Amino acid sequence: NLKGPKCRDTGLPCDAVHSTCNGRGELCSAFGPGEDMYESCQIIGKRQYEMAKKLYNNDNQNMQQISGGIDYIHTYVRMPGLNVTSNGEYLGTLCKAAMGESFAAGTIDGPGMFDFTQGTTTLKPFWNFIVDFLHKSTPEERACQHPKAILLPTGNLDIPYPWAPDVLPLQILKIGQFVILSVPSEFTTMSGRRLREHIQAKMVRPCCY
């Protein structure tokens, strides 16, 4: 996606806020570095392979060597109702799972359909009417998800089986000084950075020389 999101019908850049073309999201797609997605996958995959091979064959003594024991910790956490704090300050309580309109709009890697757009916090009356047949969100549920408007209240749907789990696994894997955080979600780049910085601050003990 190195060439950025463009409208497939005009070739012009998509709307920067909502990733739409003339108010619609279906025609906004990211392009590059190849002429189509297949060539792009080939180019990007080759670049990753070549860098991995270069690092693997590098005998530079300045590279940090992994040493030490192997360890892990694993747990299950019930997410709804979990209090969120930071440095002892209460920030809020987690809700049951729910998907908003921006979810249905997709992304520039794979646009959605119909009249959904990214970045919106209100639900169109038509979709509100349709979703109410599955589950009519309570004022408490809407307040908990605010400012996101609930499109699919997956945490409250259980026909023919639960649509979203309440209890999720978390684990930390440690190989020497190399740590892997295994989380049940696809984080944004910024969320991943915050998580990494937080765990690093907790795990790396300061040392004086």
Side-chain angles (χ1 to χ4, degrees):
N1 304 336
L2 302 181
K3 296 180 181 179
K6 300 183 183 300
C7 298
R8 293 200 295 266
D9 55 345
T10 64
L12 298 175
C14 302
D15 173 73
V17 177
H18 300 294
S19 297
T20 57
C21 299
N22 295 320
R24 306 283 293 189
E26 295 95 322
L27 294 177
C28 178
S29 297
F31 290 90
E35 295 301 319
D36 54 45
M37 66 176 68
Y38 301 103
E39 185 180 11
S40 295
C41 285
Q42 182 183 33
I43 293 172
I44 294 171
K46 184 179 180 182
R47 290 176 179 174
Q48 292 177 339
Y49 162 75
E50 289 176 345
M51 177 56 68
K53 183 179 180 182
K54 178 181 177 181
L55 293 173
Y56 182 80
N57 293 328
N58 194 335
D59 59 356
N60 191 333
Q61 298 300 316
N62 293 326
M63 295 183 65
Q64 186 176 6
Q65 300 296 316
I66 294 179
S67 62
I70 297 177
D71 201 356
Y72 76 97
I73 185 169
H74 179 279
T75 188
Y76 289 96
V77 178
R78 182 175 296 278
M79 294 297 182
L82 185 68
N83 291 334
V84 180
T85 61
S86 178
N87 297 323
E89 179 184 357
Y90 172 77
L91 300 180
T93 301
L94 296 185
C95 322
K96 279 184 171 290
M99 294 179 174
E101 181 172 334
S102 293
F103 152 79
T107 68
I108 56 175
D109 295 325
M113 298 177 65
F114 306 112
D115 56 349
F116 298 111
T117 56
Q118 297 182 40
T120 56
T121 57
T122 58
L123 191 62
K124 296 177 177 62
F126 172 77
W127 294 112
N128 210 358
F129 174 77
I130 296 298
V131 171
D132 280 352
F133 282 104
L134 298 172
H135 173 78
K136 189 174 181 64
S137 299
T138 66
E140 292 77 17
E141 291 166 355
R142 291 194 294 270
C144 192
Q145 294 287 346
H146 181 79
K148 179 180 74 177
I150 300 175
L151 174 63
L152 285 175
T154 52
N156 291 290
L157 299 176
D158 55 7
I159 300 175
Y161 43 76
W163 287 34
D166 283 346
V167 179
L168 296 172
L170 297 170
Q171 60 182 336
I172 299 177
L173 311 174
K174 181 177 178 294
I175 307 173
Q177 70 272 39
F178 181 62
V179 175
I180 302 173
L181 306 176
S182 180
V183 294
S185 179
E186 183 180 3
F187 282 15
T188 63
T189 302
M190 186 54 66
S191 295
R193 289 174 179 169
R194 290 171 178 166
L195 178 63
R196 182 178 60 189
E197 292 171 357
H198 179 78
I199 297 299
Q200 186 177 21
K202 294 292 184 180
M203 295 190 68
V204 178
R205 286 178 286 183
C207 181
C208 303
Y209 297 95

